[in-house]
Amino acid sequence: MSPPLLQLGALLSSMAMISNWMSQMLPALVGLNTTRLWTPDALTQVSPKEGWQVYSSAQDPDGRCICTVVAPEQNLCSRDAKSRQLRQLLEKVQNMSQSIEVLNLRTQRDFQYVLKMETQMKGLKAKFRQIEDDRKTLMTKHFQDLKEKMDELLPLIPVLEQYKTDARLITQFKEEIRNLSAVLTGIQEELGAYDYEELHLRVLSLETRLRDCMKKLTCGKLMKITGPITVKTSGTRFGAWMTDPLASEKNNRVWYMDSYTNNKIVREYKSMADFVSGAESRTYNLPFKWAGTNHVVYNGSLYFNKYQSNIVIKYSFDLGRVLAQRSLEYAGFQNVYPYTWGGFSDIDLMADEIGLWAVYATNQNAGNIVISQLNPDTLEVVKSWNTGYPKRSAGESFMICGTLYVTNSHLTGAKVYYSYSTKTSSYEYTDIPFHNQYFHISMLDYNARDRALYAWNNGHQVLFNVTLFHIIKTEDDT
Ligand SMILES: *[C@@H]1O[C@H](CO)[C@@H](O)[C@H](O)[C@H]1NC(C)=O
Ligand SMILES: *[C@@H]1O[C@H](CO)[C@@H](O)[C@H](O)[C@H]1NC(C)=O
Ligand SMILES: *[C@@H]1O[C@H](CO)[C@@H](O)[C@H](O)[C@H]1NC(C)=O
Ligand SMILES: *[C@@H]1O[C@H](CO)[C@@H](O)[C@H](O)[C@H]1NC(C)=O
Ligand SMILES: *[C@@H]1O[C@H](CO)[C@@H](O)[C@H](O)[C@H]1NC(C)=O
């Protein structure tokens, strides 16, 4: 065979292998465009049949980072431990590229909002100037109106600045991944000479920092709630439904817990589509009845308040049994400190980017809301914060990035009225409206993975989107 054909053969087997070990990820590897790989230009780069090749193109049309991987022939790979190590590294780099894509999408979504605000601000500024010019001819009232609007928008300026910091961070990560890919490409020539340990450490460090970065970029201050979208209409007026924020993107099981009392049947659906069509996949018969509607599924377990007690239960869906239970000290229960609608909603369990939380009230804190971070394994309280917001005057509450957001009612006209940051132990009054389409909200919980609020709105299961603004200060500010 002539050399070009040999190379072609290597490429063919490589392609087959990639579909073997990465069939799941293949679609995401946008760079694996066969059309492009067959061009003479790419072929000249396909040298020895052993070792790995990484091609990282600068960006695709949407500005995302792309890595293309050509695998070595299978027999070489399975024999060579170093190749295996390298494969893992490459996989990590690809995973990081994907994560960055996700970040990009998220940031782009927020950016749309920022852009809109920016345009609005610029428009206002122009109008404002114009009015100032012919001030004398205009009514004072109009002038005043505009000035007020302008003032409202002014606080957005630092937020816009903040966004630019995030964008820079993403750019830097992209560059680092590109650099790392370049190193991996170079390895082929130095096979054996290269220090795998060092390479491994480098990938690990990048991975750690990327994870930190993602955490930070996911976190931010609640600015706006949009929607709702009605996913389904089912059940009684009161209930809960949720997905697991720690599940992988592919695993989108939905759990459904109708009514606030006298029930212990949890229904599970494999996907949102199955939930909508009513194709149940499993039911779980809990060992205890639950109280209220404020349960949460976190990392494969259901956390709920046991009926007629302030005991929190951790129930594993996979094992089908209780893994932990613990009384939440001093927490009122049995409609002593419920939300405005009652329904034994005394103890609200929730999860955010930071972990698992319980929100309740105690006599010690005069019936005001207490926030406790819980250890998800032992259910022990890690730390507590006493707020000054009376629990019985709260419609619902949810946690985003360690900040509790409280609505002032479960009825029409409700808004997010108060927030308490566990990071600074300080509160703020807020005015973030949302559309209570069906008039009675008995559950409202944030899901960090979906960046959405899951709500039970009078027998309708609805979703709201949230717009967060990232708060990033320095590299180690978390
Ligand atoms: C693959 O790349 C070629 C040229 O670079 C392009 O014309 C084609 O649309 C791409 N195909 C896919 C599926 O992206
Ligand atoms: C890459 O991501 C996939 C899916 O999220 C995961 O199964 C795999 O372990 C990750 N690989 C590495 C090396 O981190
Ligand atoms: C990537 O490599 C270029 C050139 O070698 C270097 O200037 C740059 O600092 C590197 N970037 C990162 C983030 O390591
Ligand atoms: C989720 O559960 C797995 C094991 O089931 C554990 O290794 C992991 O640390 C848990 N994650 C969190 C954030 O608790
Ligand atoms: C949330 O935003 C996503 C992406 O923009 C969109 O697809 C989805 O329909 C929105 N959901 C709601 C509840 O508005």
Side-chain angles (χ1 to χ4, degrees):
M1 272 191 284
S2 63
L5 271 180
L6 257 178
Q7 285 168 358
L8 217 64
L11 195 62
L12 272 172
S13 68
S14 305
M15 293 302 295
M17 234 207 98
I18 287 171
S19 17
N20 276 348
W21 66 262
M22 270 185 30
S23 55
Q24 297 289 356
M25 289 169 119
L26 198 54
L29 290 175
V30 196
L32 270 184
N33 181 336
T34 43
T35 337
R36 200 152 62 206
L37 282 176
W38 293 108
T39 63
D41 216 45
L43 271 180
T44 56
Q45 291 172 39
V46 179
S47 49
K49 283 157 280 164
E50 54 199 62
W52 289 74
Q53 299 179 20
V54 184
Y55 302 103
S56 69
S57 70
Q59 282 181 351
D60 71 3
D62 294 323
R64 288 176 218 146
C65 179
I66 292 174
C67 291
T68 303
V69 182
V70 178
E73 282 178 296
Q74 191 144 20
N75 55 344
L76 283 168
C77 175
S78 55
R79 275 210 317 262
D80 187 355
K82 284 191 172 169
S83 293
R84 260 203 309 279
Q85 262 178 307
L86 191 51
R87 175 162 72 94
Q88 276 165 10
L89 293 186
L90 285 168
E91 205 181 318
K92 276 195 178 151
V93 170
Q94 279 151 8
N95 279 8
M96 279 185 261
S97 312
Q98 286 181 317
S99 303
I100 288 205
E101 275 184 37
V102 172
L103 279 185
N104 258 352
L105 282 178
R106 286 186 165 180
T107 331
Q108 272 162 19
R109 200 165 91 194
D110 287 351
F111 196 46
Q112 296 310 315
Y113 179 63
V114 171
L115 281 182
K116 232 171 66 193
M117 297 306 286
E118 213 165 19
T119 315
Q120 221 172 320
M121 264 178 91
K122 278 187 189 139
L124 264 179
K125 234 180 199 162
K127 246 186 229 159
F128 194 54
R129 238 182 253 122
Q130 195 194 333
I131 289 170
E132 213 151 15
D133 285 348
D134 18 279
R135 205 171 181 155
K136 285 166 205 150
T137 63
L138 272 163
M139 282 163 57
T140 329
K141 187 185 160 294
H142 286 166
F143 181 74
Q144 197 55 36
D145 273 1
L146 270 172
K147 192 168 181 330
E148 272 165 21
K149 263 205 184 126
M150 184 74 197
D151 288 345
E152 264 172 42
L153 288 173
L154 279 180
L156 271 170
I157 290 173
V159 173
L160 294 175
E161 285 305 316
Q162 206 65 66
Y163 175 79
K164 283 172 194 153
T165 317
D166 296 354
R168 267 202 301 277
L169 205 60
I170 288 186
T171 312
Q172 190 194 329
F173 270 110
K174 273 187 186 166
E175 195 187 323
E176 248 177 89
I177 284 189
R178 275 203 294 274
N179 280 6
L180 197 61
S181 299
V183 171
L184 291 170
T185 313
I187 280 177
Q188 208 183 318
E189 286 112 55
E190 314 168 28
L191 206 68
Y194 206 91
D195 187 347
Y196 278 89
E197 271 315 301
E198 193 214 303
L199 195 64
H200 190 222
L201 286 180
R202 208 170 138 186
V203 173
L204 280 186
S205 134
L206 189 59
E207 200 187 14
T208 312
R209 280 187 303 130
L210 178 70
R211 202 157 286 153
D212 286 349
C213 167
M214 285 184 77
K215 249 187 241 155
K216 277 192 221 166
L217 286 186
T218 321
C219 272
K221 192 167 164 170
L222 180 66
M223 298 295 285
K224 196 168 111 173
I225 299 176
T226 52
I229 283 184
T230 302
V231 175
K232 193 173 177 178
T233 297
S234 69
T236 65
R237 283 186 90 178
F238 322 100
W241 72 296
M242 62 214 91
T243 58
D244 186 345
L246 289 189
S248 69
E249 294 282 344
K250 275 173 258 153
N251 173 353
N252 200 25
R253 285 189 286 177
V254 177
W255 291 276
Y256 179 87
M257 297 167 75
D258 192 10
S259 84
Y260 67 91
T261 183
N262 210 23
N263 194 358
K264 51 180 185 170
I265 304 290
V266 182
R267 300 182 191 286
E268 179 181 289
Y269 302 83
K270 276 212 184 70
S271 64
M272 202 56 90
D274 278 4
F275 174 61
V276 171
S277 71
E280 218 172 286
S281 66
R282 273 188 81 167
T283 57
Y284 301 86
N285 195 351
L286 301 177
F288 311 105
K289 289 175 183 169
W290 64 71
T293 53
N294 304 111
H295 339 290
V296 66
V297 173
Y298 184 63
N299 207 12
S301 290
L302 171 71
Y303 296 82
F304 69 98
N305 174 209
K306 185 179 172 183
Y307 183 54
Q308 290 181 329
S309 77
N310 59 11
I311 294 171
V312 176
I313 309 254
K314 174 183 185 180
Y315 176 87
S316 160
F317 283 127
D318 288 337
L319 302 175
R321 63 182 170 86
V322 170
L323 295 185
Q325 53 181 308
R326 188 176 290 275
S327 154
L328 201 51
E329 211 176 3
Y330 306 124
F333 60 95
Q334 196 81 353
N335 275 344
V336 171
Y337 296 124
Y339 287 128
T340 50
W341 68 278
F344 305 141
S345 58
D346 300 62
I347 296 174
D348 191 352
L349 299 162
M350 54 186 83
D352 69 355
E353 291 80 358
I354 292 172
L356 183 68
W357 304 88
V359 170
Y360 52 96
T362 61
N363 288 339
Q364 282 76 2
N365 195 31
N368 292 322
I369 289 177
V370 176
I371 306 168
S372 287
Q373 189 175 4
L374 301 185
N375 176 321
D377 295 323
T378 63
L379 300 176
E380 278 164 319
V381 170
V382 179
K383 194 173 170 192
S384 285
W385 290 260
N386 287 333
T387 77
Y389 197 95
K391 175 102 183 344
R392 297 183 68 104
S393 306
E396 258 298 333
S397 74
F398 53 89
M399 200 89 178
I400 302 180
C401 302
T403 294
L404 185 75
Y405 294 91
V406 181
T407 70
N408 56 354
S409 156
H410 62 284
L411 299 170
T412 309
K415 59 187 182 183
V416 177
Y417 181 67
Y418 173 93
S419 74
Y420 186 93
S421 161
T422 58
K423 197 164 143 190
T424 59
S425 298
S426 63
Y427 70 91
E428 216 172 73
Y429 285 97
T430 59
D431 186 0
I432 305 167
F434 60 94
H435 185 47
N436 184 347
Q437 191 169 353
Y438 306 106
F439 321 119
H440 185 294
I441 289 188
S442 61
M443 169 225 161
L444 188 62
D445 256 336
Y446 174 65
N447 183 303
R449 183 189 63 172
D450 302 351
R451 243 199 196 186
L453 293 173
Y454 281 65
W456 189 290
N457 196 337
N458 213 354
H460 303 267
Q461 290 73 49
V462 308
L463 285 176
F464 294 93
N465 271 343
V466 296
T467 302
L468 304 183
F469 271 114
H470 316 309
I471 304 161
I472 294 184
K473 285 184 186 107
T474 61
E475 195 57 44
D476 46 14
D477 169 81
T478 37

